[in-house]
Amino acid sequence: MVKKNPVVFLDITIGSRSAGRVVFKLFKDITPLTAENFRALCTGEYGIGKATKKKLHYRGNKFHRIIDGFVLQGGDIENGDGSGGESIYGKSFNDENFERRHAHAGLLSMANCGPDTNASQFFITLKPCPHLDGKHVVFGQVIDGMDAIFECAKVPTDMCDKPRIPVTIFDCGEVDSNNKRLAEEDLIGSLSNLTKEQRERFEKIKQLEAEDLKEAQKEENIKGVVEVDDALEKEGEVIEFPDEKARRIHELKLKMNQARKLNNLAVIDENERFTNPAYDRIRKRKEWQEQQKELKQELDK
């Protein structure tokens, strides 16, 4: 007889700020091995891994890959960058089954590097992902705290989808009839129980957070975009120039301003081409709309 599906939680921080608690129900009735692996990595009850010599515990682990509108990925307890991991069964274990589909946001699924390579890495879907069906094992779903997941999805990332501000599993564990943490203890309360080493690390993160955020916002600005002077091109305004030289200087400024605008449009378009997976589809749709507009104008003549 299969026991009741376990419920686990992750307390997540963005920098030094709490994003909140995310609660998952694990599908032990469908994927018992995969569900048990995740549950035990939340509690840390298996101690040190034989393969990696690392703690088999998600506490302190960071989400190393975030793609807004797709997935949040974490669980690399070995290297923290998506290149490693270890399960409670050994370095890796086989795909259990693909009974559940990636049908909606909030599903918990195993990350892998090919068939039968499950370890500790996992991801949480932010939308339906049918192209992942049959390749990744779905073994749980979010039952509370999806707002925290979507908040994490908005953290700025670099070109490799790595968060510029640390998104960390500050605490994690299992929720059951003997564990009242879900109802009686929140993340703020747990901060008061830090060890000296944990508090020093937390304070260091807090001190650097403002600098990290500033740098992230700076990086978010598209390189190559220059400032334009919209005041130069006020429609309907009649300008009186004291002499011919002043008129020519003004015309030159207008031309330079227009050139800057064209440059900015080109830079933004180039950035969109490299960063937006849907760029080609959007561009083709715009072209089609322009063609339809021109056709309508011809028919109206």
Side-chain angles (χ1 to χ4, degrees):
M1 181 179 176
V2 178
K3 292 183 178 180
K4 185 179 178 182
N5 286 334
V7 176
V8 297
F9 69 90
L10 303 179
D11 282 335
I12 301 174
T13 58
I14 299 174
S16 62
R17 178 177 58 83
S18 168
R21 173 167 290 185
V22 183
V23 184
F24 304 88
K25 178 184 286 186
L26 306 182
F27 304 144
K28 192 172 183 178
D29 54 339
I30 300 172
T31 52
L33 294 176
T34 312
E36 174 59 17
N37 180 62
F38 190 84
R39 185 202 66 78
L41 289 169
C42 284
T43 63
E45 63 195 64
Y46 277 73
I48 303 297
K50 294 180 180 179
T52 62
K53 307 302 180 186
K54 302 285 187 178
K55 289 183 179 180
L56 295 173
H57 202 183
Y58 285 139
R59 182 181 292 163
N61 187 249
K62 293 179 174 60
F63 285 88
H64 60 269
R65 181 175 180 239
I66 294 179
I67 303 177
D68 190 14
F70 182 33
V71 297
L72 269 68
Q73 185 173 335
D76 182 353
I77 58 176
E78 181 181 5
N79 302 318
D81 59 6
S83 63
E86 183 177 3
S87 77
I88 63 172
Y89 310 116
K91 183 60 178 174
S92 64
F93 65 102
N94 292 348
D95 297 321
E96 197 163 5
N97 63 62
F98 301 110
E99 185 173 333
R100 290 297 296 261
R101 304 296 180 182
H102 299 80
H104 53 79
L107 289 171
L108 188 59
S109 186
M110 291 300 292
N112 59 46
C113 54
D116 300 326
T117 56
N118 301 287
S120 55
Q121 289 192 49
F122 64 91
F123 62 86
I124 304 162
T125 60
L126 299 173
K127 68 171 186 178
C129 304
H131 63 287
L132 302 179
D133 294 344
K135 300 176 183 177
H136 300 268
V137 178
V138 177
F139 64 95
Q141 68 179 13
V142 176
I143 59 173
D144 189 34
M146 199 61 199
D147 53 339
I149 295 297
F150 285 127
E151 183 178 357
C152 292
K154 298 299 181 184
V155 171
T157 57
D158 62 18
M159 293 298 287
C160 296
D161 303 317
K162 178 183 177 181
R164 297 185 183 280
I165 302 172
V167 179
T168 308
I169 300 172
F170 184 81
D171 196 10
C172 51
E174 183 176 7
V175 179
D176 56 34
S177 59
N178 297 318
N179 187 344
K180 304 300 183 182
R181 297 184 71 175
L182 181 63
E184 298 176 0
E185 180 180 343
D186 58 13
L187 179 58
I188 302 302
S190 67
L191 294 181
S192 63
N193 298 320
L194 293 174
T195 64
K196 182 180 179 181
E197 181 182 353
Q198 288 173 326
R199 183 165 292 281
E200 287 177 354
R201 185 170 70 238
F202 183 80
E203 289 299 326
K204 185 177 180 181
I205 291 173
K206 190 174 180 180
Q207 290 171 5
L208 293 174
E209 185 184 22
E211 184 179 337
D212 289 340
L213 181 59
K214 185 178 179 180
E215 186 65 25
Q217 291 171 337
K218 181 180 177 182
E219 290 291 336
E220 282 294 289
N221 294 328
I222 300 174
K223 293 180 180 179
V225 173
V226 295
E227 187 177 352
V228 296
D229 187 359
D230 292 323
L232 279 173
E233 302 180 30
K234 292 182 178 180
E235 294 185 6
E237 183 179 3
V238 179
I239 303 175
E240 294 184 2
F241 301 102
D243 51 42
E244 182 65 15
K245 182 179 179 180
R247 184 185 65 79
R248 289 181 178 179
I249 290 174
H250 180 75
E251 288 179 351
L252 180 61
K253 287 182 177 179
L254 280 175
K255 289 179 180 179
M256 291 176 64
N257 209 50
Q258 290 166 358
R260 290 192 184 102
K261 286 185 175 181
L262 291 173
N263 173 78
N264 288 349
L265 289 174
V267 169
I268 292 169
D269 184 72
E270 186 73 1
N271 180 76
E272 188 75 5
R273 184 167 71 88
F274 280 105
T275 60
N276 188 351
Y279 173 83
D280 288 332
R281 178 171 56 81
I282 294 171
R283 179 179 57 80
K284 288 177 182 178
R285 181 170 181 78
K286 285 182 178 179
E287 289 176 355
W288 179 82
Q289 288 174 338
E290 287 295 324
Q291 291 171 359
Q292 294 299 307
K293 184 178 179 181
E294 291 175 4
L295 180 61
K296 186 177 183 301
Q297 289 174 348
E298 287 292 325
L299 293 173
D300 290 342
K301 286 182 180 180

